[in-house]
Each structure stands twice: as C-alpha cells, then as structure tokens.
Amino acid sequence: MPVIGISCWERPLDTTLASGERHHLLSSKYTIALTAAGATPLILPSIDPALADLAVSRIDGLVITGGGDIDPARYGQSNTDSSSIDLIRDAWELALVEAARRRNIPLLGICRGLQILNVGLGGTLRQHVWGSDDHIHLWNEDRTHLASGHHDVALEGILRELYGKDRRQVNSLHHQAIDELGACLEVVATAPDGVVEAVASVGDWPALGVQWHPERQLDEEALFGWITQRATG
C-alpha cells in the first residue's frame, strides 16, 4: 500500500486548551478518497523548505491540496487581486514540487495545487477571473453571484484516457487561473470559455493538476486511482 503525502494548511483554532492557537488542518475528504483508492495518507505540515527533499524521500506520491492564493511575487507580479496568502505554505509546497520532480515522485495538484505546480515550473497566474467576459460560466445570468460552479470541461491526453470520454462535469470554483503555462506542462482540460482546468507533465515525471475538487465528487475515483497506481510503481 503506497504512502501518499498530503500538504495541509495552518489556521488559528479555538480549543479547550488554547484560544487562537494555530493548527495544521486538512479536510478529511482528501484522506477518505486516498484510503478508498488503496493508499495510506500522510499529512505533511508546512515546515522548513530545506526539509522538503527528506520528506519526499519517505513517500511514494504527493498531493498538493486546495487553499488560498499564492504570493504573486512568486511569479513576478505585484498583488492586484490575491488574498489569503500564506508565505510559509508557498515556500513549503514549492519546495515539495521541486523535490518530487527531482526524485520523479508522482504528484497530483488539486485547485491551488495545480497553481503551485504551474508556478513551481515557471508559469504565471491570472489573479482574478470571476465575472470577466472570458470566464462567465462561474456566474449566474445577471452576474450578481456565483453559480453552482459545476460545469463541463473538455478532456484531452491523460484525462481523456483516465475518464474514457471527451467531456466531464466538474465542481470548479477557483477565482484564479493559469495564464502562462509552466515548463514541461501541457493543457489536458479546458472550460467552455477556454480557461485552463487541468495540466499534465510532459516527459517521464508523472504530474497532474486539476482546478476542480475530486475529493468532493462522489463519482470521482480516477484521479486518486491514478496517483495510487503511479505511486505503487
């Protein structure tokens, strides 16, 4: 049974022991999905990036999870529309991506995880796409609020193989999106308006990133099955 490392986030949380103490947090939906796929999940807290290579050396696969925005300085931009930035998490996850690439450890990026993968390989992001003319599918007709976030994506390459079809409905609610594609990545899913919804690595390193949340879709086994299988070797 492969061990899959999962990144998490850190938040203040009131407990019976302390008020506002910071805790490492992760939705149990990630661990449930990985366990169902036949993996053993191992939560990786944000620590010193210098320890990323050691951490990756002890796991068989890596999942970078959803969360807040990446510091735009990481991809050469000033902050125009980014929020909930966690500099410590940015540094840790980018170091994990580099360590996984160097060690050829399979990686699955989910929502923010796709963006971390792209930025880690030299790509850039659009800092806000909700309600723009070229990203209207996330809004209701009069653009007063977000719609359900469920929409079709066109599948290509590895995702077409995994799902066995050309289109799939996903639960996508990201407010940022890929702009310039990172090195050695290819687009494998797009929204109806052309916004990138998934990327995959080109070459020997198995890496895949999606903008939706497969851990929250009941009929979504393909992606967690993919990383479990690749981690098994």
Side-chain angles (χ1 to χ4, degrees), residues 176-212:
Q176 298 194 334
I178 286 180
D179 188 8
E180 295 179 12
L181 201 60
C184 300
L185 292 176
E186 64 177 353
V187 176
V188 291
T190 52
D193 48 28
V195 169
V196 174
E197 289 282 340
V199 298
S201 57
V202 177
D204 294 333
W205 178 43
L208 182 58
V210 299
Q211 280 289 186
W212 60 89

Side-chain angles (χ1 to χ4, degrees), residues 48-164:
D48 185 349
L51 298 174
D53 188 68
L54 176 60
V56 169
S57 73
R58 305 297 176 87
I59 60 178
D60 304 303
L62 175 65
V63 174
I64 304 292
T65 59
D69 296 339
I70 303 165
D71 180 9
R74 288 285 184 176
Y75 47 94
Q77 295 182 12
S78 59
N79 190 342
T80 57
D81 287 292
S82 297
S83 60
S84 301
I85 294 170
D86 184 337
L87 299 179
I88 294 174
R89 185 181 180 188
D90 286 352
W92 172 244
E93 290 183 337
L94 288 168
L96 286 176
V97 168
E98 174 56 25
R101 185 194 63 78
R102 192 167 54 246
R103 289 182 172 271
N104 207 39
I105 297 296
L107 181 150
L108 173 62
I110 295 174
C111 199
R112 166 190 163 92
L114 172 145
Q115 296 168 9
I116 281 284
L117 173 62
N118 190 60
V119 171
L121 295 180
T124 65
L125 303 176
R126 296 166 57 192
Q127 292 186 48
H128 191 71
V129 294
W130 285 348
S132 60
D133 288 338
D134 58 352
H135 200 56
I136 59 175
H137 69 273
L138 292 179
W139 287 74
N140 65 335
E141 290 183 1
D142 60 5
R143 301 194 192 186
T144 58
H145 61 274
L146 280 174
S148 69
H150 288 80
H151 61 81
D152 282 351
V153 292
L155 306 174
E156 302 176 18
I158 180 65
L159 287 187
R160 182 183 292 164
E161 295 176 17
L162 286 176
Y163 291 116

